[in-house]
Amino acid sequence: MRIAVDQWRPVTGGSPEGLARLDAAAGRAAAGGADLLMVPEMALTGYNIGAEAVRAAADPENGPVTAAVGEIARRHGLAILAGFPRLVGDEVLNTVNLVDREGRLLASYAKTHLYGAVDRKQFTAGHAITAPVELGGWKLGLAICYDIEFPELARTLALAGAEAILAPTANMAPYETVATRLVPARAEENAVFLAYANFFGREGEFEYFGLSCVCGPDGNDVARAGQGEEMVFADLDREALAKTRRLATHLADRRPDLYGSLTTGGEKR
């Protein structure tokens, strides 16, 4: 499977602009032979836009934004992972949808770990981790931004069978080490591919640093963007995955009997 990770500036014109950009990106990704395109967190509307704007842009279940993403995927003949605010009852959720090349919804995930005042003012935390879903013979897990900084979430997905984790983000300075240190670590410690799609440029008080990447199951970069506008491509290699998993036996060597405090809460600092 070939993944295209598109790194772009935050949109300022809401979902019409976001969908137009997604359409253009899908065309470039398809021309580059990609089977799957992924874009940053809340790519279709912008991330740091305020609670009122987020609620106004929120797409209901099976709403027009969801339908438009599916149509773009169908027209260009590739799967797409794209994020936007979703309205469920009275809750606004920071959501990504994964659709296949026919435009069919395969999985939807709402960010479960909210970071800072912006996240908490704009969204309700998701209530569950989405089980890995199969696409093109690969089992894919979903995470969003801050989620991937929690080893428990990535490990949960790996134990559920994920072979690759897709993590769109809106990560800003001074947290570049998430992209350069934590993301490779999450890939290596779970022996999975990990794709991380970020913005670049300014949005409100945030300066996004780019550095989107796809890391292999050994933690090394398969593809890495710089800090400007860029689309990078990476091929998921099943032989490389199998070789790494023969050597890296962390999942088999775990001692769950020692980890009870992880689920009971343990002592807070």
Side-chain angles (χ1 to χ4, degrees):
M1 177 186 289
R2 170 165 276 202
I3 296 179
V5 176
D6 201 22
Q7 181 169 284
W8 65 30
R9 289 185 185 275
V11 303
T12 57
S15 57
E17 178 190 345
L19 289 166
R21 283 205 205 173
L22 185 68
D23 191 25
R28 296 195 307 275
D35 303 294
L36 168 65
L37 166 67
M38 62 178 292
V39 293
E41 177 183 9
M42 293 277 286
L44 300 185
T45 60
Y47 167 68
N48 182 25
I49 61 175
E52 193 173 311
V54 164
R55 182 169 287 275
D59 199 48
E61 188 174 3
N62 301 317
V65 174
T66 297
V69 173
E71 172 56 24
I72 291 169
R74 187 197 62 76
R75 184 152 28 84
H76 291 283
L78 81 171
I80 293 177
L81 182 77
F84 53 90
R86 185 163 61 99
L87 187 65
V88 179
D90 193 48
E91 295 181 337
V92 178
L93 304 174
N94 181 337
T95 301
V96 288
N97 277 359
L98 176 63
V99 300
D100 68 12
R101 62 185 303 161
E102 302 297 330
R104 295 174 296 208
L105 180 64
L106 296 180
S108 186
Y109 169 72
K111 187 176 185 179
T112 50
H113 298 78
L114 300 183
Y115 173 76
V118 169
D119 252 0
R120 291 185 172 89
K121 287 177 181 177
Q122 296 186 153
F123 306 108
T124 298
H127 304 296
I129 297 171
T130 297
V133 63
E134 187 170 324
L135 176 70
W138 287 82
K139 291 182 179 178
L140 306 179
L142 304 180
I144 299 175
C145 196
Y146 194 41
D147 287 330
I148 207 62
E149 299 179 39
F150 291 83
E152 298 89 346
L153 186 137
R155 180 55 51 87
T156 297
L157 291 171
L159 290 173
E163 297 165 311
I165 297 174
L166 311 178
T169 189
N171 204 356
M172 70 293 290
Y175 304 117
E176 290 89 343
T177 54
V178 174
T180 59
R181 189 162 61 204
L182 291 189
V183 167
R186 291 294 94 83
E188 183 174 1
E189 68 195 6
N190 292 292
V192 295
F193 287 93
L194 206 163
Y196 189 73
N198 197 16
F199 289 120
F200 76 95
R202 180 162 289 277
E203 186 184 43
E205 70 273 27
F206 295 151
E207 185 71 36
Y208 301 112
F209 55 74
L211 301 179
S212 301
C213 60
V214 179
C215 294
D218 58 1
N220 291 320
D221 286 352
V222 180
R224 171 79 63 172
Q227 295 187 288
E229 186 173 1
E230 189 172 356
M231 179 180 285
V232 296
F233 294 84
D235 294 311
L236 303 191
D237 185 329
R238 189 160 291 287
E239 185 176 332
L241 179 68
K243 180 180 178 180
T244 299
R245 289 186 167 185
R246 285 195 297 271
L247 298 172
T249 59
H250 299 87
L251 296 185
D253 296 338
R254 292 178 314 115
R255 290 286 309 277
D257 54 305
L258 303 180
Y259 311 149
S261 63
L262 290 178
T263 54
T264 59
E267 241 182 77
K268 294 184 179 179
R269 289 190 294 176

